[in-house]
Amino acid sequence: MGRNRIGLQIEGFEEWSESLEKAGGAIQKVTEECLKTAQEMITKELRKDMKKHHRTGRTELSISEDPVKWEGTCASVPVGFDINKG
């Protein structure tokens, strides 16, 4: 996976998420939806811009669309290009 990622970092996240969960919220679901939306927005613009530079299509195929990854309470999603794929 490439190094381009987008994340959401919130100070006091653990306390905030505990309060939200107790109130019936689903912090993990909301976080994933936010990150997926950001990824989709970036990917849409990349695909639009790549039409001007299309030659083989390999670069377009390297646009990252992998799912949200969790490491403890830290969530991230890759954005941009995965050079290893293109």
Side-chain angles (χ1 to χ4, degrees):
M1 178 170 71
R3 293 187 176 165
N4 298 332
R5 294 187 292 171
I6 188 166
L8 177 63
Q9 185 174 359
I10 301 171
E11 194 168 316
F13 177 82
E14 290 184 32
E15 295 83 11
W16 182 68
S17 66
E18 285 176 20
S19 296
L20 185 62
E21 290 292 336
K22 287 178 185 175
I27 190 69
Q28 187 170 359
K29 182 180 177 186
V30 171
T31 301
E32 287 188 17
E33 287 178 15
C34 290
L35 291 173
K36 287 177 187 177
T37 299
Q39 181 189 47
E40 289 168 4
M41 291 171 61
I42 292 166
T43 298
K44 179 181 174 184
E45 291 299 314
L46 285 175
R47 290 198 186 286
K48 186 174 98 177
D49 290 343
M50 287 308 302
K51 289 181 182 181
K52 300 178 223 173
H53 307 285
H54 181 82
R55 289 187 187 160
T56 66
R58 289 180 64 208
T59 304
E60 290 169 275
L61 292 173
S62 75
I63 295 174
S64 298
E65 295 187 76
D66 293 337
V68 174
K69 180 179 178 183
W70 284 89
E71 293 179 23
T73 58
C74 182
S76 63
V77 67
V79 295
F81 302 99
D82 184 343
I83 297 302
N84 294 324
K85 292 182 182 176

